[in-house]
Amino acid sequence: MTNRHELSLEEKINLMKEKENELSHRHLCEKLNVSIDINTHVYEWFSLQRSKNIPISGPILQQYARNIALQFDQSTNFRASNDWLDRFRTRYNINFRAICGEARAVDSTTVDDWKSPLHSFIEHYDPWNIFNCDETSLFYKLLPDRSLVVDRNDCRGGKRSKERYTVLLCCNRSGSEKLKPLVIGKYARPRCFKNIDMKHLPVQWCSNRSAWMNSKVFTEWLENLDVCMRKQKRHILTFLDNALVHPLDIQLENIKLKYFPPNTTAIIQPLDQGIIKAFKTHYRRYLVKHIIAKATVATTADDINVTALDAVHWIDAAWSAVTEVSIKNIFRSAGFERHTLIDRVDMVSLDSNVAGDVLIDNKPIEELDRVLKHLMIGGKTISADDYIIIDDQIPTFNEWDDATDRIISIGGFTNDDVENSEELPGEDPPSLSKSLELIHHLRILSTAQQPELHSLITQLRSKLTDIFLNSNSSKQRSIL
């Protein structure tokens, strides 16, 4: 006789499913609690290290998280992936930045002593005649590889020095004037500069054996700027750091130099406060877009080339893209503010932020983040913030006092420039008639698929046609 309390097969199956769901839910809760515990422990450890001014990078944080996970569960499969790192950074609002030794060593008393008389330095100069200049290292073909580590010693010679430029930027306090960037490369005339008039480059091009700034190049740049200001009948005040390559005894007629105190530029120099970061953000956006465009037709990684000519045009475009408003805001946050009615009306109001952060346009950083998501190097991606600062601490002048940059060339060749070329072969430009044919294909593309490009291509076609008509290659034709 069947026991009336005996469960049917269907009831047994449902009961087993309930128990399975309960166990699964309990296991999920346990995993979630463990994950929360890992995040909490990692953040507490991170906060402790930063309170000691110990720099912590993403990989270090990931390795510590793995160690914590193993302490919770030896059989864990927690990997502290890049996705976990991104979620962790978002949760705790962490932005990894280069931790500059100079910034950590800044004496607040020195900064206050500098800012107190600052207004007396600038009161006799209009904002458009107050300038700041500074150099930055730029690895102009640097791929966004999260595992890449750039060592200062890599710059002394070899492949790294060939891939690095030193860029001198200079702008005025009002943001209305950004001088043409000075770019120092390793070679006097790379192959891609063949048949190009160096005077027509969008940057000032200089060269030495190690692509560093030195006193001779900087002095000549200052003297040329002084001549330019004399022609314009302008007297300007220029702020700069006290680097060894910046001469203290130079005689100038229309430029007055004012040097920042040692170990303070990370706090009070406008270019260090966010202008250079904005420049590098735009540059690397152009670089990543170039890599993505090349990758669509490349068969191997070697087909994705970046030439010096590409770099100088991106440098020019990136510098032009830094907005006037951003420059004004950064100068103001660095203490360059004259309390006049004009300034109060003209300046964009600034919120009080965390020390070291400046209100600049975040749209370029967001755009760089967006395009980086379309590019993976070795199966990994990198955030825009990490990519922008990857070469911030690379020296811009010879810190080792060796003879690698003694031979100088400005806008031409040197007798000792024995390797006067890039690794990449030069590329001959298409003829004007061929260029017009290419524009025709682009117009078909814009008409059929990308109508937002139509007006730009039409303008380009019109300009190129004018150049063609004014050239010697244009011949009179009859239309029957």
Side-chain angles (χ1 to χ4, degrees), residues 343-399:
D343 286 332
R344 284 196 292 272
V345 172
D346 190 47
M347 289 294 180
V348 176
S349 60
L350 296 176
D351 298 329
S352 52
N353 289 312
V354 179
D357 289 341
V358 176
L359 282 183
I360 60 174
D361 188 2
N362 285 324
K363 289 182 180 178
I365 298 178
E366 294 170 0
E367 170 67 9
L368 178 56
D369 253 328
R370 184 184 70 81
V371 297
L372 280 171
K373 287 181 172 61
H374 294 273
L375 188 65
M376 299 184 73
I377 306 295
K380 299 178 180 179
T381 60
I382 190 172
S383 72
D385 281 319
D386 290 342
Y387 189 30
I388 293 166
I389 66 172
I390 206 163
D391 50 11
D392 275 6
Q393 301 309 309
I394 300 305
T396 58
F397 61 91
N398 188 353
E399 296 180 342

Side-chain angles (χ1 to χ4, degrees), residues 100 114 131 155 192 267 401 429 451 457 478:
C100 177
W114 162 263
F131 285 79
C155 298
C192 59
I267 301 297
D401 195 28
I457 293 172
S478 297

Side-chain angles (χ1 to χ4, degrees), residues 253-269:
E253 293 185 25
N254 288 55
I255 301 177
K256 180 178 177 60
L257 301 180
K258 192 68 181 177
Y259 295 87
F260 294 110
N263 300 324
T264 61
T265 55
I267 301 297
I268 61 178
Q269 175 163 238

Side-chain angles (χ1 to χ4, degrees), residues 246-365:
H246 295 166
L248 299 173
D249 55 353
I250 184 171
Q251 300 297 318
L252 303 168
E253 293 185 25
N254 288 55
I255 301 177
K256 180 178 177 60
L257 301 180
K258 192 68 181 177
Y259 295 87
F260 294 110
N263 300 324
T264 61
T265 55
I267 301 297
I268 61 178
Q269 175 163 238
L271 279 159
D272 279 347
Q273 286 287 291
I275 297 175
I276 288 176
K277 179 181 178 181
F279 160 75
K280 287 189 175 182
T281 300
H282 290 292
Y283 180 88
R284 297 218 152 100
R285 180 164 53 90
Y286 291 122
L287 172 59
V288 172
K289 284 188 172 183
H290 170 81
I291 295 171
I292 293 173
K294 286 286 188 179
T296 60
V297 295
T299 56
T300 68
D302 293 335
D303 294 332
I304 303 177
N305 298 330
V306 178
T307 69
L309 192 58
D310 293 327
V312 298
H313 283 293
W314 295 337
I315 289 170
D316 172 57
W319 187 225
S320 298
V322 179
T323 66
E324 182 175 328
V325 170
S326 293
I327 293 175
K328 285 182 180 180
N329 288 344
I330 293 169
F331 265 85
R332 183 180 183 184
S333 69
F336 289 76
E337 180 177 9
R338 296 170 65 187
H339 300 286
T340 66
L341 180 60
I342 294 177
D343 286 332
R344 284 196 292 272
V345 172
D346 190 47
M347 289 294 180
V348 176
S349 60
L350 296 176
D351 298 329
S352 52
N353 289 312
V354 179
D357 289 341
V358 176
L359 282 183
I360 60 174
D361 188 2
N362 285 324
K363 289 182 180 178
I365 298 178

Side-chain angles (χ1 to χ4, degrees), residues 177-204:
E177 190 169 4
K178 291 174 287 187
L179 302 185
K180 181 184 287 191
L182 175 73
V183 180
I184 306 175
K186 188 176 177 66
Y187 304 119
R189 185 182 287 273
R191 285 184 189 176
C192 59
F193 286 1
K194 180 183 178 182
N195 300 324
I196 291 179
D197 187 345
M198 305 287 280
K199 296 179 181 178
H200 293 162
L201 288 175
V203 302
Q204 297 182 56

Side-chain angles (χ1 to χ4, degrees), residues 166-183:
T166 298
V167 182
L168 173 67
L169 300 175
C170 185
C171 62
N172 66 354
R173 182 201 148 196
S174 67
S176 61
E177 190 169 4
K178 291 174 287 187
L179 302 185
K180 181 184 287 191
L182 175 73
V183 180

